[in-house]
Amino acid sequence: MAELAEKAGITVRTLRFYRERKLLPAPRREGRIAWYNDHHLARLRTIAALLERGHTLGGIAELLTAFESGRRDVGELLGMPGAAASWPAETPVRLAPEVLADYFEGEVTPENLITSLDLGYLAVDGDEIVHLSRRLLDVSHTLVEQGVPLAAVLAAAREVREHVDAIAETFVTLLRTHVLADAQERGEDIGETVERLRPLATSVVDAELTMAMNRRMRADLGDAPRSR
């Protein structure tokens, strides 16, 4: 416990407090020895990052529980009960460690595993590893096959996460302010309203990303020689 606390930059007292609040999984025990691993360290770094963003420990506990159970409760973010049921969740994938290693041959390093755990892409469930999204797993695999190092894929994913969080906040605020409150007062089904509007957000992001990619490709490759 002292070694883990030192690596995480916190005190042993704080670490014990996190354990008592169920923010940290129990260690593997061999007799009187408790073994902590990189997953525990990644969890502590995630907690520290969330605290820096202004989350409370109670809120962090709810977020971690939601992730581990596979929920994506958009309704709670909106503050509108009933909105969550219609918002689709990503399909998680369960993999044995050796299968994951084969899937990203030569790229499953301790550093990449820690980054994936820190991003929330991976979680450990017994002897299996759970990836939160089949789509993201397949995209990562394809990029690695095309020659992009997994470390670079994960670094890009962290950057994309920041931009997407900002986009999601924009849309959530837009819906909450101008649509959902009035719909709730009229007695409309909030879940149906969200389901009806969700494709609009997806379409806007897809269109804007397509145009942005075209602009960047023209700027970066416009003067490049064309192959025959």
Side-chain angles (χ1 to χ4, degrees), residues 63-170:
L63 288 171
L64 294 174
T65 300
F67 167 73
E68 290 174 348
S69 63
R71 293 188 291 113
R72 296 292 180 270
D73 290 339
V74 176
E76 294 178 6
L77 291 175
L78 298 173
M80 300 288 180
S86 65
W87 204 274
E90 288 296 313
T91 302
V93 183
R94 289 181 173 272
L95 301 164
E98 57 271 20
V99 174
L100 181 66
D102 290 340
Y103 205 60
F104 295 100
E105 186 175 357
E107 295 282 345
V108 181
T109 63
E111 293 79 12
N112 286 338
L113 283 173
I114 290 174
T115 301
S116 298
L117 289 165
D118 190 37
L119 283 167
Y121 284 171
L122 298 182
V124 179
D125 186 9
D127 294 330
E128 291 184 313
I129 294 176
V130 182
H131 195 290
L132 72 86
S133 169
R134 162 65 69 182
R135 291 193 295 176
L136 291 177
L137 177 64
D138 290 343
V139 169
S140 300
H141 174 63
T142 301
L143 288 172
V144 170
E145 278 193 325
Q146 293 298 312
V148 182
L150 183 56
V153 173
L154 294 172
R158 189 182 296 278
E159 187 173 346
V160 168
R161 172 78 59 82
E162 295 178 1
H163 295 298
V164 172
D165 280 345
I167 293 171
E169 183 177 356
T170 297

Side-chain angles (χ1 to χ4, degrees), residues 14 39 46 99 108 157 213 228:
T14 298
H39 178 54
T46 299
V99 174
V108 181
M213 288 289 292
R228 297 183 179 180

